[in-house]
Amino acid sequence: MPPMTVATHAFAELTAERGLLFGGDYNPEQWPRETWIEDIALMQRAGVNLVTVGVFSWAMIEPRPGAREWAWLDDVLDLLHAGGIAVDLATPTASPPPWLGVRFPEVLPVDADGVRLVAGSRNQFTPASRVYREHALAITRDLAERYRDHPAVRMWHIGNEFGQVDYGDEAAREFRLWLRERYGDIDGLNRAWGTAFWSQRYDDFAEILPPRRMPYLVNPTQSLDFRRYSSDQLRVVHRELREAIRATGAAQPITTNFMGFFAHVDYRSWADDVDVISDDQYPDPARPTAAAETALVQDLMRSLGHGRPWMLMEQAVSAVSWREHNLPRSAQSARRNSLQAVARGADAVCFFQWRQARAGAERFHSAMLPHAGADSDVFRGIVQQGRDLRALRAVAGQRIATDVAVLFDWSSWWAGEEPARPTTRLSTLEQVNRWYAVLWRRGISADVVGPRDSLGDYRVILVPHSYIIEPATADALAAAARAGAQVVIGAFSGVADENAQVIPGRSPVLLRELIGASGEEWAGLPDAPTPLTGAGVPAGATASILAERLRAEGAETLASFDAGDLAGRPAVTRHRVGDGAAWYLATVPDDAALAAIVNSVIDASGVVGAHGSAEPLPADLEAVRRGDVLFLLNHGDSPVELAVAEGLTDLLTGEQVPTVVAVGPGDVRALTERHPS
Amino acid sequence: MPPMTVATHAFAELTAERGLLFGGDYNPEQWPRETWIEDIALMQRAGVNLVTVGVFSWAMIEPRPGAREWAWLDDVLDLLHAGGIAVDLATPTASPPPWLGVRFPEVLPVDADGVRLVAGSRNQFTPASRVYREHALAITRDLAERYRDHPAVRMWHIGNEFGQVDYGDEAAREFRLWLRERYGDIDGLNRAWGTAFWSQRYDDFAEILPPRRMPYLVNPTQSLDFRRYSSDQLRVVHRELREAIRATGAAQPITTNFMGFFAHVDYRSWADDVDVISDDQYPDPARPTAAAETALVQDLMRSLGHGRPWMLMEQAVSAVSWREHNLPRSAQSARRNSLQAVARGADAVCFFQWRQARAGAERFHSAMLPHAGADSDVFRGIVQQGRDLRALRAVAGQRIATDVAVLFDWSSWWAGEEPARPTTRLSTLEQVNRWYAVLWRRGISADVVGPRDSLGDYRVILVPHSYIIEPATADALAAAARAGAQVVIGAFSGVADENAQVIPGRSPVLLRELIGASGEEWAGLPDAPTPLTGAGVPAGATASILAERLRAEGAETLASFDAGDLAGRPAVTRHRVGDGAAWYLATVPDDAALAAIVNSVIDASGVVGAHGSAEPLPADLEAVRRGDVLFLLNHGDSPVELAVAEGLTDLLTGEQVPTVVAVGPGDVRALTERHPS
Amino acid sequence: MPPMTVATHAFAELTAERGLLFGGDYNPEQWPRETWIEDIALMQRAGVNLVTVGVFSWAMIEPRPGAREWAWLDDVLDLLHAGGIAVDLATPTASPPPWLGVRFPEVLPVDADGVRLVAGSRNQFTPASRVYREHALAITRDLAERYRDHPAVRMWHIGNEFGQVDYGDEAAREFRLWLRERYGDIDGLNRAWGTAFWSQRYDDFAEILPPRRMPYLVNPTQSLDFRRYSSDQLRVVHRELREAIRATGAAQPITTNFMGFFAHVDYRSWADDVDVISDDQYPDPARPTAAAETALVQDLMRSLGHGRPWMLMEQAVSAVSWREHNLPRSAQSARRNSLQAVARGADAVCFFQWRQARAGAERFHSAMLPHAGADSDVFRGIVQQGRDLRALRAVAGQRIATDVAVLFDWSSWWAGEEPARPTTRLSTLEQVNRWYAVLWRRGISADVVGPRDSLGDYRVILVPHSYIIEPATADALAAAARAGAQVVIGAFSGVADENAQVIPGRSPVLLRELIGASGEEWAGLPDAPTPLTGAGVPAGATASILAERLRAEGAETLASFDAGDLAGRPAVTRHRVGDGAAWYLATVPDDAALAAIVNSVIDASGVVGAHGSAEPLPADLEAVRRGDVLFLLNHGDSPVELAVAEGLTDLLTGEQVPTVVAVGPGDVRALTERHPS
């Protein structure tokens, strides 16, 4: 864990001063000045105390090359400050003005088909472009210089949702530099990429291109490295903009908004570049599994921040508009989602955006202040949320403890889903979510750990699917098991090395001794589920997607295949190692079978839920303990009850609750022994 | 309504002289001269009296730059004239010869990906190209000069199915000029497009591009304006070709073939540029709803022509070939479809094409004379159709009256289906068709009106879905209701202004007073239909697709939502206003519920069907009255009966019919008090 | 049939010397020298006697322009020779090194969108490129010069899976030359392509382009000729590489690997360019019809080779990796598939590849020696296969006889599936496979003949679907019927001439007299199957996909349509002609009806199965007689029994079998009167 910096402290001071932060993106560019006045009055009514300003203001500040139009922004910041609203001031670098691409076409990204993407949407830049970076740096320097001491400015925000991918000539140049850095010489690259296959050997870095459209399947390591490079190239831009702000002497915390399990950026490598983790969360209200999936994302964000509070930087108060079909949230559901973030470690609850846009591609994206205005259910719900957050003020800065780790690594995710694999039906995220859901139903939070994180203190370590496992990680997993942990390895894990090359030998080669079993050949299972049998799975259990031919070498068999070519072979094994055990899954069990297995693991570990019990929670009830507050969130349509300790008070209502506490449909409880402040 | 021109009169004279027109596209280029002689003999046998010649003859007339090969065309026209067959002579401008694109690549259209489309198909030109336009004008001038006085030539035809869209540099230049014309200065454009959103502000028109491939969602107003421009750019080409013909002194009627509810051209803006409306109609025989959908298209065409007779310019006598799976029509079904057009105002029944092509991309598109030749069911059916049309000669020039209007506007359609909206499941055309089908089942025709058309005389005005409603239209709707009309506003209407910007306030802002209700936030409904309850809908009624949260403000509630977050809120309302009423739908009801609502509206209005009754027609029976002829078309597989007046004669059989007239499966009746001429 | 060449004899000598060949692709480039030593030891253990070397070694041999790195290859060949393993030495021309495309971008293929495909996969060349061809020739000459006398080298292999298609400027130039050669002058091309349609007339060959992205449907003859050209252009490259080897004096047999019914190469035109036919076969284990489909491909390969033994050059021992979902084969199933090839005429059973790759796009493609190593079921199965092939040594060189022909022609396939046809639901390959499956279930092999092959000796000639039938073929079919054959013409056959132009008249025009019937207008049938009735089909028979309106003109009607517009019209007819008969299908019957019709045809012909009986075989049992060996392959999961002659011995077990022989699930029998050698 990196040391707490001055800026990290500054964030803690901000929440100590203001309580939980509440607000959203504020885009005054879209409105006349009289609307700003109204906005601030309504923000005050709602209890808003932080807004993010300037994300899309490049074309307003620099309407033509070199211009600097600051007056409107001076005015906005002054008005907000006068209204008592703090500002998270954004570099306007996410979306350059059209003139930049017209004058310097090389700033425009090029896709894998060679098509140069134009203005008319947003984000039309490549992070590989020196011209883009010079212009972005220049405006960032001037912005920070001008506002570093403005009293409204309490945070800085770099760009927005970094995620651009570019296959053009600018990217080719930077990709080659990145590869030279990584591999030193071309022989190293040829070995790592396995270019002896299909006559792909490169004689010089100058011959290498991004994985543009090609006649057939791409070299998977080339593709993996291009993903790594693309993430790193964005990171370079992020870091130089951050440094430009710091170079002016600005001391406020700096952040940028992550997007959960986002496919194009390895946030673990970025996490220590921000002073506070912030995240945009848009779960689909149409997904029945959204609550547990959101909890996992929130646990990831807490983990990226080493347990420190994080910010929910963007969410939708009701519907979004970028899906094909967009369901709204009710005010109650929006409230519960905000409080879920607080329960899981957020010290800020923010929305995109304050006032719903009339024009543009997000005119139907809901906002705190909808088209209908303040006389609306949506705005009344926002006012209620402001009240709730003030009631929870004591939670700010509190932390969450857990004995459970879930391994997730971006490189492994990328490499494991490259084309030409046993089956495209295996999805890393789907498997991680399926495993996590079993924890969630038992009120257990998890740290989402990377392959280089310390594993020593966990009692349960889940590896739902990690295609790449490097030797150090394999060693750490074995050490943890010997020391008493329950280590569970899911299907198709430990297959490849850091270059996505399959490790030769009976699989999983590096974990073979740990699991006491070995297999050969991962391949798809037939469409009809394959029955499983054994004490470790319930009657009627099945497997699907893929399997390997496994042989027990010391492990006990908890379940076996019961049909097809694999009939009689082990499907789930456990190997007792030292004080712990290593569990192994040679296939993908159905939901009930997976739950039985993970529940057995939890029972073996002695870990209990936030409600202090090993009993499962009532259906749809989420329980999480932050500091001394037990949050209970009912995501279902029916009332539920739960036994709790005596003498607890609900911070949200101020009332003392009985020892069997009722949580109404959609409702939230925040129970503490303390009396509300 | 524009004044009747000389050319419009000339069309009426043509049908007065020849009766209902009957024929098709004739492409003698594909055949040797001896086949022409045979063709004319067979045309005479079938009663063909009009053919369209020259649509795809550019490469024959101008096989190399500047050449003019007229001899073959002279011969064809002379032969046709000698055979008594009139000619609709086409400018050959729809499909330039390959050499034009090879010598002047800038005439070739470029798609949104930047790919320049080549010859090998047809229509490889952009209407933005000055080079294309010069060449098209030159050959059109020479054609018209040569044949303006040819006695065979009784009409002119401009191009074919105008519809090209181009995203290339030629289009960019013309789009900018169009925008400059529309907005005057760049500030006006920035306001209209809402470019403050996402930092899209333009500093100069020169920075603007067509909506080519871009990183993310396009600015919806940019997209809307590009659609408007694309339609207008085609219109420019159409008008200049038309003017070139007139400039030679040619006085015959000029037309071009429309394609119903075609997505790329706003035909309402084009309608007064043609002397007679003509339309291509290819309903899919596999669609059970084809008959009512075709009726709506025919009502549209009649409406575009201000009630004057129109031409069915193209249809397929049996199967087409451009769908993935192409069902044929029987001779009886083809006959019924031709007579449907006549019943709904057509004075011409034409086909693509006379003789089926042996080669090329439409070798399996059916024709009046199929591959099999004259010894075929298809040709025998054509001979029968010729007889039928002669029997209906008295119908030529007759008109159709209605008290019902359906609002449909191309700009609203375009804007309402831009990406990033509450749901992609809402389709303007689908909703218009669903509403119209209720009228059709009651024997009621409708005028399909635009937002600037007079609404004063209608007793029922349906607005199934009009995303854009401008203030003048809102005022006209209110005035009509006050004067006694039943005005019905469907879901997601009146949301946006002419720039597709959402109108702020409780929705529908401009109609709020009229409907006596207001809502907030349109968003998707869950996949499972949402139950509705109330006196205005049948038991078991449901809603789907999308809904808003509505509040009655004076209106009575006819139906409410009965589940979910919206439970208890109004779904269908009626507000009595002056002598009429305004009905409002805050969602999309199922078919039965929609029928109940629209039927209540019709009952309230007192409007009756063509059969003189408010009773629904037997299933699958279409009834329409043109002039003094009551057409009854049985689109089903079972015989039906209908009560009619005494003393009617069927023009098709010449027989007098009883007061309960039988219409056999697939058959047509044309009943009149007159005796057949 | 071409004369047996020296090289063809050399292949027979090789199998006479070594027995059935057994091995696979061997890519030592991917491994260090110590692995090569291990490889050879394991090959010996498995009985491998032939490996293909060098397919992907261009970048190893020529790591930079003009280099020649032979030492490693000398070493590999010497080691293999010392190990007793023969080598099929490949020109490394299938996959050029990246530097070739970087230095000479014109060698890179361009797709129909104009995108130039880059290195990173394989095969990034266009066969139209002179630069590619010069480089490929140079390395091929040097390779052959160096190794023509190497004792390990017993065969040569040209490239790999030829199949590149290019739409770029290089292709445009060669396509024009090809067209000039075919048509002589531009008028000939205009007639053949029917360019009078849609104004496509070309004034000069220079105006012609490949069928790149265009505004609408392509000219089908342009597309057909581009497919023919593309196949021929690859053939030019293949032939010049072959000639370069021969020019060095190398006398070994030369081959290249085909890919069954591959869409981009007309193998019939290539067949006589190779000394021995070889084929890659990757049936999908998930397809229940895979066994019969594979049998058809194997019959095709035998037929292309004029009955001579062929090589199974590539197959997967277990799973492939390029499908979305890849099922493995069990060792038993892999064995059965290998023996199926031997039963149907293969003298070589080879795999891709010897040792499974760790890196690259085929890291999960199974191999003889899997990632798990020799301690694996897969390798143990390979060892068993080696034993089996040695037991079958006597089969080498033996031939297969049949009285049945199935017509299949690449040009017809291509032309029949061009866009804009009656229905995209009709697939040539699907129909050929459906018809062949009826033969297969009766133990009957077939010659897969082309339109110019002699038909005189067959007792049954099936034409499941041949869109193009030229006059000479029509005459040959009629002559065969008159001479006593049962000729069966499937739906939508004989529609077009060699230019894919529809033949005018009642269809099938050239076969009308033969079949004693004629029709008009092929078009789609409704989605719901249409019932058939009549003595020629079983009760409950149906038709689907498409039909024509047929009229009997002398033929007897075996089945008629029983609903819809076609009710009462003939669907299946038979016309007795001379000593034989012509059967005709005016639609696509369901499986049971098709089986009834084809079974009636077989019964009428007196042809019996390999088991010497007209009785159908037990379900899933394949029977084929090669030389004096009766192969019985049980593709099902249940044991089956079959009556056979007395005194037969199973070559695989060495045991004599009773007269009712049992074949276990998945097992194979190879029965002969001989005693095993």
Side-chain angles (χ1 to χ4, degrees), chain B residues 385-599:
Chain B
Q385 287 199 29
R387 272 195 295 271
D388 291 328
L389 294 178
R390 285 194 295 279
L392 294 174
R393 178 172 190 143
V395 176
Q398 299 297 315
R399 300 209 172 193
I400 295 162
T402 180
D403 292 317
V404 178
V406 174
L407 184 73
F408 174 83
D409 175 39
W410 264 265
S411 275
S412 179
W413 179 24
W414 291 333
E417 298 191 4
E418 287 298 331
R421 49 189 174 125
T423 174
T424 56
R425 298 179 189 174
L426 185 68
S427 149
T428 297
L429 285 186
E430 184 185 342
Q431 295 308 317
V432 172
N433 272 301
R434 291 178 74 233
W435 290 46
Y436 180 83
V438 186
L439 302 178
W440 183 85
R441 286 194 295 271
R442 292 187 62 160
I444 298 172
S445 297
D447 286 349
V448 182
V449 299
R452 288 174 192 81
D453 287 331
S454 162
L455 301 177
D457 295 334
Y458 296 107
R459 288 154 73 189
V460 174
I461 301 169
L462 303 183
V463 184
H465 168 45
S466 194
Y467 176 72
I468 291 176
I469 294 185
E470 298 185 42
T473 307
D475 292 347
L477 291 167
R482 281 193 304 270
Q486 305 294 318
V487 172
V488 195
I489 310 292
F492 205 50
S493 293
V495 172
D497 67 17
E498 76 278 14
N499 295 318
Q501 297 203 12
V502 177
I503 305 169
R506 291 187 63 87
S507 88
V509 179
L510 302 182
L511 300 170
R512 180 176 178 179
E513 194 181 344
L514 172 64
I515 66 167
S518 74
E520 68 167 296
E521 194 178 54
W522 285 101
L525 282 175
D527 293 349
T530 301
L532 298 178
T533 185
V537 291
T542 62
S544 63
I545 301 183
L546 87 175
E548 74 176 338
R549 282 195 287 275
L550 192 69
R551 179 168 80 196
E553 296 168 341
E556 57 190 308
T557 296
L558 302 180
S560 303
F561 295 100
D562 201 23
D565 291 339
L566 296 171
R569 286 193 182 263
V572 183
T573 59
R574 178 175 54 197
H575 191 219
R576 298 192 191 275
V577 181
D579 296 332
W583 307 57
Y584 185 69
L585 279 67
T587 188
V588 179
D590 62 42
D591 283 348
L594 179 63
I597 296 163
V598 175
N599 278 322

Side-chain angles (χ1 to χ4, degrees), chain C residues 398-588:
Chain C
Q398 299 297 315
R399 300 210 172 191
I400 294 162
T402 180
D403 293 315
V404 178
V406 174
L407 184 72
F408 174 82
D409 176 40
W410 264 265
S411 274
S412 180
W413 179 24
W414 291 334
E417 298 191 4
E418 287 297 331
R421 47 188 176 127
T423 174
T424 57
R425 297 179 189 173
L426 184 68
S427 148
T428 297
L429 285 186
E430 184 186 341
Q431 294 310 317
V432 173
N433 273 300
R434 291 178 74 232
W435 289 47
Y436 180 85
V438 185
L439 302 178
W440 183 85
R441 286 193 296 270
R442 291 186 64 159
I444 299 171
S445 297
D447 286 349
V448 181
V449 298
R452 288 175 191 81
D453 288 333
S454 161
L455 301 177
D457 295 334
Y458 295 108
R459 289 156 71 190
V460 174
I461 302 169
L462 303 184
V463 184
H465 169 43
S466 194
Y467 175 71
I468 291 176
I469 293 185
E470 298 185 41
T473 307
D475 292 347
L477 290 167
R482 279 193 304 268
Q486 304 294 318
V487 173
V488 196
I489 310 293
F492 205 49
S493 294
V495 172
D497 67 17
E498 76 278 14
N499 294 318
Q501 297 204 10
V502 177
I503 304 170
R506 291 188 62 88
S507 88
V509 178
L510 301 181
L511 301 171
R512 181 175 175 180
E513 194 181 343
L514 173 63
I515 65 167
S518 75
E520 67 167 298
E521 193 178 56
W522 285 102
L525 282 175
D527 292 349
T530 302
L532 297 178
T533 185
V537 292
T542 62
S544 62
I545 301 184
L546 87 174
E548 73 176 337
R549 282 194 289 274
L550 192 69
R551 180 168 79 197
E553 296 168 341
E556 58 189 310
T557 296
L558 303 180
S560 304
F561 294 99
D562 202 24
D565 292 338
L566 295 172
R569 287 192 181 263
V572 183
T573 59
R574 179 174 53 195
H575 191 218
R576 298 192 191 276
V577 181
D579 296 332
W583 308 57
Y584 186 68
L585 279 67
T587 188
V588 179

Side-chain angles (χ1 to χ4, degrees), chain A residues 30 59 63-64 95 98 111 113 118 120-121 318 321 324-328 330 358 361 363 371 375-378, chain B residues 197-201 203 213 216-217 219 419-424 497 502 505-506 520-521 524-525 545 551 569:
Chain A
Q30 298 171 26
R64 60 203 64 85
S95 207
D111 70 13
D113 299 336
V118 301
S121 176
S318 181
S321 55
E324 298 218 329
H325 187 67
N326 300 284
L327 295 194
S330 67
R358 289 190 56 204
R363 63 211 179 285
H371 292 137
D375 174 14
S376 61
D377 286 4
V378 164
Chain B
F197 184 80
W198 281 0
S199 188
Q200 295 171 346
R201 183 190 171 281
D203 200 50
R213 208 191 277 192
Y216 190 43
L217 300 164
N219 178 308
R421 49 189 174 125
T423 174
T424 56
D497 67 17
V502 177
R506 291 187 63 87
E520 68 167 296
E521 194 178 54
L525 282 175
I545 301 183
R551 179 168 80 196
R569 286 193 182 263

